[in-house]
Amino acid sequence: HVQLVESGGDSVQPGGSLRLSCAFSVDRHKTNCVAWFRQRPGQEREGLAVIDLGGGAETYIDSVKGRFTISRDNAQKMVYLQMNSLKPEDTAMYYCAANGVLQNCGGWYLRSTDDKYWGQGTQVTVS
């Protein structure tokens, strides 16, 4: 059973930074990927970055490369998203997600699939 709890969302000024946290409870025999997504008002949810819990490989979409960094702490069962140089267009609800079947993380997080478990989200507002 997969459980994910996000935290760390806040209101910040443009140019500021935030670190989001995702506390995960997963079966590591089945789950190897945790990703961050966001949903802006009136838009579809988009994948931002994913990390392989085992090898630590990170994958990002182009629009956040260099500004956002995903990381993990397996001992603490946490995945983080460090967000720097925040812009008003980063305003969104941010979610973490995990898979339930072992697979390549870079392909999984951008693919439309039922194999995604979601947290409840944390709000980030940049203004």
Side-chain angles (χ1 to χ4, degrees):
H1 184 61
V2 176
Q3 290 184 311
L4 304 164
V5 179
E6 302 95 333
S7 61
D10 205 346
S11 295
V12 296
Q13 294 183 345
S17 297
L18 276 178
R19 188 177 80 158
L20 305 183
S21 300
C22 174
F24 63 85
S25 175
V26 301
D27 181 345
R28 291 291 306 277
H29 294 96
K30 298 180 180 179
T31 297
N32 63 313
C33 311
V34 175
W36 282 99
F37 290 73
R38 69 183 174 192
Q39 187 164 19
R40 304 178 205 179
Q43 297 190 22
E44 293 186 354
R45 198 170 296 189
E46 64 172 337
L48 303 175
V50 65
I51 192 164
D52 187 309
L53 296 178
E58 304 161 30
T59 306
Y60 301 88
I61 59 169
D62 287 345
S63 62
V64 303
K65 282 181 182 176
R67 291 197 304 129
F68 291 7
T69 303
I70 191 169
S71 62
R72 78 201 192 294
D73 182 335
N74 285 336
Q76 297 297 321
K77 297 184 179 180
M78 300 290 290
V79 169
Y80 304 101
L81 186 69
Q82 177 67 42
M83 305 188 295
N84 299 325
S85 303
L86 284 164
K87 307 173 183 179
E89 52 264 41
D90 293 318
T91 294
M93 185 71 79
Y94 284 71
Y95 300 89
C96 62
N99 61 334
V101 177
L102 296 177
Q103 57 192 288
N104 176 274
C105 297
W108 162 78
Y109 91 113
L110 292 178
R111 186 168 61 246
S112 176
T113 170
D114 290 337
D115 183 33
K116 283 191 174 76
Y117 297 85
W118 299 95
Q120 83 290 347
T122 187
Q123 177 68 39
V124 172
T125 302
V126 185
S127 66

Coordinates of all heavy atoms in Angstrom, one line a residue, residues 64-106:
V64 N 12.0 23.2 -15.9 CA 12.4 23.4 -14.5 C 13.9 23.1 -14.3 O 14.4 23.2 -13.2 CB 11.5 22.6 -13.5 CG1 10.1 23.0 -13.7 CG2 11.7 21.1 -13.7
K65 N 14.5 22.6 -15.4 CA 16.0 22.2 -15.2 C 16.8 23.5 -14.8 O 16.6 24.5 -15.4 CB 16.5 21.7 -16.5 CG 16.1 20.3 -16.8 CD 16.7 19.8 -18.2 CE 16.3 18.4 -18.5 NZ 16.8 18.0 -19.8
G66 N 17.6 23.3 -13.8 CA 18.4 24.4 -13.4 C 17.8 25.2 -12.3 O 18.5 25.9 -11.5
R67 N 16.5 25.1 -12.1 CA 15.8 25.8 -11.0 C 15.3 24.9 -9.9 O 15.3 25.2 -8.7 CB 14.6 26.6 -11.5 CG 14.9 27.8 -12.4 CD 13.7 28.7 -12.6 NE 12.6 28.0 -13.1 CZ 11.4 28.1 -12.5 NH1 11.2 28.8 -11.4 NH2 10.3 27.5 -13.0
F68 N 14.8 23.7 -10.3 CA 14.3 22.7 -9.4 C 15.2 21.5 -9.2 O 15.8 21.1 -10.2 CB 12.9 22.2 -9.9 CG 11.8 23.2 -9.8 CD1 12.0 24.6 -9.5 CD2 10.5 22.8 -10.1 CE1 11.0 25.5 -9.5 CE2 9.5 23.7 -10.1 CZ 9.7 25.1 -9.8
T69 N 15.3 21.0 -8.0 CA 16.2 19.8 -7.8 C 15.4 18.8 -6.9 O 14.9 19.2 -5.9 CB 17.5 20.2 -7.0 OG1 18.2 21.2 -7.8 CG2 18.3 19.0 -6.9
I70 N 15.3 17.6 -7.4 CA 14.6 16.5 -6.7 C 15.7 15.7 -6.0 O 16.8 15.5 -6.5 CB 13.8 15.6 -7.6 CG1 12.9 14.7 -6.8 CG2 14.6 14.9 -8.6 CD1 11.8 14.0 -7.7
S71 N 15.4 15.3 -4.7 CA 16.4 14.5 -4.0 C 15.6 13.5 -3.1 O 14.4 13.7 -2.9 CB 17.3 15.4 -3.2 OG 16.6 16.1 -2.2
R72 N 16.3 12.6 -2.5 CA 15.7 11.6 -1.7 C 16.5 11.3 -0.4 O 17.8 11.5 -0.4 CB 15.5 10.3 -2.4 CG 16.8 9.4 -2.5 CD 16.7 8.5 -3.6 NE 17.8 7.4 -3.6 CZ 19.0 7.6 -3.8 NH1 19.5 8.9 -3.9 NH2 19.9 6.6 -3.8
D73 N 15.9 10.9 0.6 CA 16.5 10.4 1.8 C 15.8 9.1 2.2 O 14.7 9.2 2.8 CB 16.4 11.5 2.9 CG 17.2 11.0 4.2 OD1 17.3 9.8 4.4 OD2 17.6 11.9 5.0
N74 N 16.3 8.0 1.8 CA 15.6 6.8 2.0 C 15.5 6.4 3.4 O 14.5 5.8 3.9 CB 16.3 5.6 1.2 CG 16.0 5.7 -0.3 OD1 15.0 6.3 -0.7 ND2 16.9 5.2 -1.1
A75 N 16.5 6.8 4.2 CA 16.5 6.4 5.6 C 15.3 7.1 6.3 O 14.6 6.6 7.2 CB 17.8 6.8 6.3
Q76 N 15.1 8.4 5.9 CA 13.9 9.2 6.5 C 12.7 9.0 5.7 O 11.6 9.5 6.1 CB 14.3 10.7 6.5 CG 15.5 11.0 7.3 CD 15.2 10.7 8.8 OE1 14.1 10.9 9.3 NE2 16.2 10.1 9.5
K77 N 12.7 8.2 4.6 CA 11.6 8.0 3.7 C 11.0 9.3 3.2 O 9.8 9.6 3.4 CB 10.5 7.1 4.4 CG 11.0 5.7 4.7 CD 9.9 4.9 5.3 CE 10.4 3.5 5.7 NZ 9.4 2.6 6.2
M78 N 11.9 10.1 2.7 CA 11.5 11.5 2.2 C 12.0 11.7 0.8 O 13.1 11.3 0.5 CB 12.0 12.6 3.1 CG 11.5 12.5 4.6 SD 9.8 12.9 4.7 CE 9.8 14.6 4.4
V79 N 11.2 12.4 0.0 CA 11.7 12.9 -1.3 C 11.4 14.4 -1.2 O 10.3 14.9 -0.8 CB 10.9 12.3 -2.5 CG1 11.2 13.0 -3.8 CG2 11.4 10.8 -2.6
Y80 N 12.3 15.2 -1.7 CA 12.3 16.6 -1.7 C 12.2 17.3 -3.1 O 12.7 16.7 -4.0 CB 13.5 17.2 -0.9 CG 13.6 16.7 0.5 CD1 14.5 15.7 0.8 CD2 12.8 17.1 1.5 CE1 14.7 15.1 2.0 CE2 13.0 16.6 2.8 CZ 13.9 15.6 3.1 OH 14.0 15.1 4.3
L81 N 11.7 18.5 -3.1 CA 11.8 19.3 -4.3 C 12.2 20.6 -3.9 O 11.5 21.4 -3.3 CB 10.4 19.3 -5.1 CG 10.5 20.1 -6.4 CD1 11.4 19.2 -7.4 CD2 9.1 20.3 -7.0
Q82 N 13.5 20.9 -4.2 CA 14.0 22.3 -3.9 C 13.7 23.2 -5.1 O 14.1 22.8 -6.3 CB 15.6 22.2 -3.7 CG 16.2 23.6 -3.5 CD 15.8 24.2 -2.2 OE1 15.7 23.5 -1.2 NE2 15.5 25.5 -2.2
M83 N 13.0 24.3 -4.9 CA 12.6 25.2 -6.0 C 13.3 26.5 -5.7 O 13.0 27.1 -4.7 CB 11.1 25.3 -6.0 CG 10.4 23.9 -6.1 SD 8.6 24.1 -6.4 CE 8.1 24.9 -4.8
N84 N 14.0 27.0 -6.7 CA 14.7 28.3 -6.6 C 14.2 29.2 -7.7 O 13.6 28.7 -8.7 CB 16.2 28.1 -6.7 CG 16.8 27.2 -5.6 OD1 16.3 27.2 -4.5 ND2 17.8 26.4 -5.9
S85 N 14.5 30.5 -7.5 CA 14.2 31.5 -8.5 C 12.7 31.3 -8.9 O 12.4 31.3 -10.1 CB 15.1 31.4 -9.8 OG 16.4 31.5 -9.4
L86 N 11.8 31.3 -8.0 CA 10.4 31.0 -8.2 C 9.8 32.2 -9.0 O 10.1 33.4 -8.8 CB 9.7 30.8 -6.9 CG 9.9 29.4 -6.4 CD1 9.5 29.3 -4.9 CD2 9.2 28.3 -7.2
K87 N 8.9 31.8 -9.9 CA 8.2 32.8 -10.7 C 6.7 32.7 -10.4 O 6.2 31.7 -10.0 CB 8.4 32.5 -12.2 CG 9.9 32.3 -12.6 CD 10.0 31.8 -14.0 CE 11.5 31.6 -14.3 NZ 11.7 31.1 -15.7
P88 N 5.9 33.8 -10.8 CA 4.5 33.7 -10.6 C 3.8 32.5 -11.3 O 2.9 31.9 -10.7 CB 4.0 35.1 -11.1 CG 5.2 36.0 -10.9 CD 6.4 35.1 -11.1
E89 N 4.4 32.1 -12.4 CA 3.8 31.0 -13.1 C 4.1 29.7 -12.5 O 3.6 28.6 -12.9 CB 4.3 31.0 -14.6 CG 5.8 31.0 -14.8 CD 6.3 32.5 -15.0 OE1 5.8 33.4 -14.4 OE2 7.2 32.6 -15.9
D90 N 4.9 29.6 -11.4 CA 5.1 28.4 -10.6 C 3.9 28.2 -9.6 O 3.9 27.2 -8.9 CB 6.4 28.5 -9.9 CG 7.6 28.4 -10.8 OD1 7.6 27.6 -11.8 OD2 8.6 29.2 -10.6
T91 N 3.1 29.2 -9.5 CA 1.9 29.1 -8.6 C 1.1 27.9 -9.0 O 0.6 27.8 -10.2 CB 1.1 30.3 -8.6 OG1 1.8 31.4 -8.1 CG2 -0.2 30.2 -7.8
A92 N 0.9 26.9 -8.1 CA 0.1 25.7 -8.4 C 0.0 24.9 -7.2 O 0.6 25.2 -6.1 CB 0.9 24.9 -9.4
M93 N -0.8 23.8 -7.3 CA -0.9 22.8 -6.3 C 0.2 21.8 -6.7 O 0.2 21.3 -7.8 CB -2.2 22.1 -6.2 CG -2.4 21.1 -5.1 SD -2.4 21.8 -3.5 CE -4.1 22.4 -3.4
Y94 N 1.1 21.4 -5.7 CA 2.1 20.5 -6.0 C 1.8 19.1 -5.4 O 1.4 19.1 -4.2 CB 3.5 21.0 -5.5 CG 4.0 22.1 -6.4 CD1 3.4 23.4 -6.5 CD2 5.1 21.9 -7.3 CE1 3.9 24.4 -7.3 CE2 5.6 22.9 -8.1 CZ 5.0 24.1 -8.1 OH 5.4 25.1 -9.0
Y95 N 2.0 18.1 -6.2 CA 1.7 16.7 -5.7 C 3.0 15.8 -5.9 O 3.7 16.0 -6.8 CB 0.6 16.1 -6.5 CG -0.7 16.8 -6.5 CD1 -1.0 17.8 -7.4 CD2 -1.7 16.5 -5.6 CE1 -2.2 18.5 -7.4 CE2 -2.9 17.1 -5.6 CZ -3.2 18.2 -6.5 OH -4.4 18.8 -6.5
C96 N 3.1 14.9 -5.0 CA 4.1 13.8 -5.3 C 3.3 12.5 -5.6 O 2.1 12.4 -5.3 CB 5.0 13.5 -4.2 SG 4.3 13.0 -2.6
A97 N 3.9 11.7 -6.4 CA 3.3 10.5 -6.9 C 4.3 9.4 -6.9 O 5.5 9.6 -7.0 CB 2.7 10.6 -8.3
A98 N 3.8 8.1 -6.8 CA 4.7 7.0 -6.8 C 4.1 5.9 -7.6 O 2.9 5.8 -7.8 CB 5.0 6.5 -5.3
N99 N 4.9 5.0 -8.1 CA 4.4 3.9 -8.9 C 4.2 2.6 -8.0 O 4.6 2.6 -6.8 CB 5.4 3.5 -10.0 CG 6.8 3.1 -9.5 OD1 7.2 3.5 -8.4 ND2 7.5 2.3 -10.3
G100 N 3.5 1.7 -8.5 CA 3.2 0.5 -7.8 C 3.7 -0.8 -8.4 O 3.6 -1.9 -7.9
V101 N 4.4 -0.6 -9.6 CA 5.0 -1.7 -10.3 C 6.4 -1.2 -10.8 O 6.5 -0.1 -11.4 CB 4.2 -2.1 -11.6 CG1 4.9 -3.2 -12.4 CG2 2.8 -2.5 -11.2
L102 N 7.4 -2.0 -10.4 CA 8.8 -1.6 -10.8 C 8.9 -1.3 -12.3 O 8.5 -2.1 -13.1 CB 9.8 -2.6 -10.3 CG 9.9 -2.9 -8.8 CD1 10.8 -4.1 -8.6 CD2 10.3 -1.7 -8.1
Q103 N 9.6 -0.1 -12.6 CA 9.8 0.2 -14.0 C 10.7 1.4 -14.1 O 11.2 1.9 -13.1 CB 8.4 0.6 -14.6 CG 7.7 1.7 -14.0 CD 6.3 1.8 -14.5 OE1 6.0 2.2 -15.6 NE2 5.3 1.5 -13.6
N104 N 11.0 1.7 -15.4 CA 11.9 2.8 -15.6 C 11.2 4.1 -15.2 O 10.1 4.4 -15.7 CB 12.3 2.9 -17.1 CG 13.1 4.1 -17.5 OD1 12.5 5.2 -17.8 ND2 14.4 4.0 -17.5
C105 N 11.8 4.9 -14.3 CA 11.1 6.1 -13.8 C 11.0 7.2 -14.8 O 9.9 7.9 -14.8 CB 11.9 6.6 -12.6 SG 12.0 5.4 -11.2
G106 N 12.0 7.4 -15.6 CA 11.9 8.5 -16.6 C 10.8 8.3 -17.6 O 10.1 9.3 -18.0

